[in-house]
Amino acid sequence: MKFSYINSPFHYILIDSFFAEEEYDDVWKELVYLTPKMKDPDERYSNNFKNEPNKKGKGLFLRDVFINREVSTIFQRTRKLHSDEVIQFINTTNYLISGMRKIARDESIVVQNYTDGDYYKPHLDFAILSAITVLHKTPKLS
């Protein structure tokens, strides 16, 4: 894993190569399994902010598919976010993120699939702390 701390335009931590190759392959297999089960935003929960759609793209909450988290590769592999290596970097880099990590209790994983023309607009969120993972099979060039 390669860590970077970025403080502009907002504070965040970037972790490159979060998954080892075998982990990535395992996660990808689960994503392939989940993709046909994904639903449009209006089918899952409110997709509106100020009466305008705030996103376009299919997705799902992992907890709706895997009642037992132990059988989900994604749940298992993302636990690395709580590893000593990650926590040490967070604790020595940004006290605010470190403090938020200590009070963030809910681990709700949303899996999204975006294709050309899909989006997720800036929005208000109820999460104290968010971890965003971007995965792709081949790099998408702009």
Side-chain angles (χ1 to χ4, degrees):
M1 289 186 278
K2 180 184 172 195
F3 298 92
S4 303
Y5 171 68
I6 294 93
N7 62 7
S8 180
F10 55 89
H11 296 263
Y12 64 98
I13 293 170
L14 177 66
I15 307 173
D16 282 315
S17 302
F18 180 74
F19 296 118
E21 189 173 339
E22 180 182 319
E23 294 171 329
Y24 185 92
D25 291 342
D26 289 344
V27 168
W28 194 263
K29 287 175 190 170
E30 188 166 299
L31 289 172
V32 168
Y33 166 76
L34 293 170
T35 299
K37 300 173 181 340
M38 293 182 185
K39 298 179 180 181
D40 290 324
D42 290 336
E43 296 177 69
R44 292 181 292 135
Y45 47 84
S46 175
N47 180 37
N48 294 311
F49 180 69
K50 296 184 179 179
N51 295 321
E52 294 179 26
N54 69 345
K55 74 164 107 177
K56 182 177 178 234
K58 294 185 179 277
L60 55 76
F61 285 95
L62 276 187
R63 67 174 178 245
D64 292 342
V65 177
F66 299 108
I67 296 168
N68 178 359
R69 293 178 177 207
E70 300 301 317
V71 299
S72 168
T73 300
I74 295 170
F75 270 123
Q76 297 302 312
R77 298 300 191 192
T78 56
R79 285 189 176 154
K80 286 172 55 174
L81 283 171
H82 306 286
S83 70
D84 291 341
E85 183 180 10
V86 173
I87 291 169
Q88 181 179 357
F89 184 82
I90 291 170
N91 288 343
T92 59
T93 305
N94 184 288
Y95 72 92
L96 182 60
I97 295 173
S98 176
M100 288 190 297
R101 187 194 66 76
K102 291 175 185 173
I103 62 172
R105 297 280 183 238
D106 185 31
E107 191 173 19
S108 181
I109 297 178
V110 178
V111 178
Q112 291 288 135
N113 182 30
Y114 295 103
T115 58
D116 290 340
D118 290 351
Y119 57 86
Y120 201 161
K121 293 180 180 177
H123 61 283
L124 297 174
D125 202 293
F126 296 107
I128 293 171
L129 192 61
S130 293
I132 300 169
T133 304
V134 177
L135 304 173
H136 52 81
K137 265 302 189 196
T138 54
K140 184 159 177 101
L141 304 174
S142 23

